[in-house]
Coordinates of all heavy atoms in Angstrom, one line a residue:
V9 N 59.5 113.7 115.7 CA 58.2 113.1 115.3 C 57.1 113.5 116.3 O 57.4 113.7 117.4 CB 58.3 111.6 115.1 CG1 59.3 111.2 114.0 CG2 58.7 110.9 116.5
G18 N 48.2 106.5 132.7 CA 48.1 105.1 133.1 C 47.4 104.2 132.1 O 47.2 103.0 132.3
F22 N 49.2 105.9 127.1 CA 50.5 106.3 127.5 C 51.5 105.2 127.3 O 52.7 105.5 127.1 CB 50.4 106.7 129.0 CG 51.8 107.3 129.5 CD1 52.1 108.6 129.2 CD2 52.7 106.5 130.2 CE1 53.3 109.1 129.6 CE2 53.9 107.0 130.5 CZ 54.2 108.4 130.3
R26 N 55.2 105.8 125.6 CA 56.5 105.3 126.2 C 57.2 104.4 125.2 O 58.4 104.5 125.1 CB 56.2 104.5 127.5 CG 57.4 104.1 128.3 CD 57.1 103.4 129.6 NE 56.2 102.2 129.3 CZ 54.9 102.1 129.8 NH1 54.4 103.2 130.4 NH2 54.2 101.0 129.5
G33 N 64.5 107.1 121.1 CA 65.8 107.1 121.9 C 66.5 108.4 121.8 O 65.8 109.5 121.9
L38 N 60.5 113.4 120.6 CA 59.1 113.1 120.4 C 58.2 114.2 120.9 O 58.4 114.7 122.0 CB 58.8 111.8 121.2 CG 57.3 111.3 121.2 CD1 56.9 110.9 119.8 CD2 57.2 110.1 122.2
V52 N 49.0 118.1 134.4 CA 50.2 118.0 135.3 C 50.6 116.6 135.5 O 51.8 116.3 135.4 CB 49.9 118.8 136.6 CG1 51.1 118.6 137.6 CG2 49.7 120.3 136.4
D75 N 41.3 127.9 127.9 CA 41.7 127.8 129.3 C 43.1 128.4 129.4 O 44.0 127.8 130.0 CB 41.7 126.4 129.8 CG 41.8 126.3 131.3 OD1 41.8 127.3 132.0 OD2 42.1 125.2 131.8
L82 N 50.5 125.0 134.4 CA 51.1 123.8 133.8 C 52.6 124.0 133.4 O 53.4 123.1 133.7 CB 50.3 123.5 132.5 CG 50.7 122.2 131.8 CD1 50.5 121.0 132.6 CD2 49.9 122.1 130.4
V90 N 56.0 123.4 127.2 CA 54.6 123.5 127.0 C 54.4 124.3 125.7 O 54.9 125.4 125.5 CB 53.8 124.1 128.1 CG1 52.4 124.5 127.7 CG2 53.8 123.2 129.3
N98 N 44.7 136.0 117.5 CA 45.3 137.3 117.4 C 46.3 137.5 118.4 O 46.5 136.8 119.4 CB 44.1 138.4 117.5 CG 43.4 138.3 118.8 OD1 44.0 138.6 119.9 ND2 42.1 138.0 118.8
D108 N 51.6 135.9 131.2 CA 51.4 134.9 132.3 C 52.5 133.8 132.3 O 52.4 132.8 133.1 CB 50.0 134.3 132.3 CG 49.0 135.4 132.6 OD1 49.3 136.3 133.2 OD2 47.8 135.2 132.2
I124 N 49.7 136.6 107.5 CA 51.1 136.8 107.5 C 51.5 137.9 108.5 O 52.4 137.8 109.4 CB 51.8 137.1 106.1 CG1 51.6 135.8 105.2 CG2 53.2 137.5 106.3 CD1 52.0 136.1 103.8
S142 N 56.7 128.0 116.4 CA 56.6 127.0 115.3 C 55.4 127.2 114.5 O 54.3 127.1 115.0 CB 56.6 125.6 116.0 OG 56.3 124.6 115.0
S147 N 47.1 120.6 107.3 CA 46.9 120.0 106.0 C 46.5 121.0 105.0 O 45.7 120.9 104.1 CB 45.7 119.0 106.1 OG 44.6 119.6 106.7
N165 N 63.2 133.3 116.1 CA 62.9 132.4 117.2 C 62.1 131.2 116.6 O 61.5 130.4 117.4 CB 62.1 133.0 118.3 CG 60.9 133.9 117.8 OD1 60.9 134.4 116.7 ND2 59.9 134.0 118.6
I168 N 60.9 125.0 114.5 CA 60.5 123.8 113.7 C 59.2 124.1 113.0 O 58.4 125.0 113.4 CB 60.4 122.6 114.7 CG1 60.4 121.2 113.9 CG2 59.1 122.7 115.5 CD1 60.5 120.0 114.8
N173 N 52.8 114.4 107.4 CA 53.2 113.0 107.6 C 54.4 112.7 106.7 O 54.9 113.6 106.0 CB 52.0 112.1 107.2 CG 51.5 112.3 105.8 OD1 52.3 112.3 104.9 ND2 50.2 112.5 105.6
H175 N 55.0 110.8 104.2 CA 54.8 110.8 102.8 C 54.7 112.2 102.2 O 55.4 112.5 101.2 CB 53.5 110.0 102.5 CG 53.2 109.9 101.0 ND1 53.8 108.9 100.3 CD2 52.5 110.6 100.1 CE1 53.4 109.0 99.0 NE2 52.6 110.0 98.9
R205 N 60.9 132.5 94.2 CA 60.2 133.2 93.1 C 59.4 134.3 93.6 O 59.3 134.5 94.8 CB 59.3 132.2 92.3 CG 60.2 131.0 91.6 CD 59.3 129.9 91.0 NE 58.7 129.1 92.1 CZ 59.2 128.1 92.7 NH1 60.5 127.7 92.3 NH2 58.6 127.4 93.6
E211 N 53.2 129.5 91.9 CA 52.3 129.8 90.8 C 51.4 128.7 90.5 O 51.9 127.6 90.2 CB 53.1 130.3 89.6 CG 52.2 130.8 88.5 CD 53.0 131.3 87.3 OE1 54.2 131.3 87.4 OE2 52.4 131.7 86.3
E216 N 45.1 122.4 86.5 CA 45.0 121.5 87.7 C 44.1 122.2 88.7 O 43.3 121.5 89.4 CB 46.3 121.2 88.3 CG 47.2 120.3 87.4 CD 46.7 119.0 87.2 OE1 46.0 118.5 88.2 OE2 46.9 118.4 86.1
K219 N 40.3 121.8 88.5 CA 39.7 120.5 88.8 C 39.1 120.5 90.2 O 38.2 119.6 90.6 CB 40.8 119.4 88.8 CG 41.3 119.2 87.3 CD 42.4 118.1 87.4 CE 43.0 117.9 86.0 NZ 44.1 116.8 86.0

Side-chain angles (χ1 to χ4, degrees):
V9 293
F22 187 78
R26 187 176 58 245
L38 177 61
V52 170
D75 192 13
L82 181 64
V90 170
N98 60 64
D108 292 338
I124 294 172
S142 167
S147 55
N165 53 331
I168 197 171
N173 58 51
H175 183 81
R205 295 173 289 276
E211 186 176 357
E216 292 296 328
K219 294 178 182 179

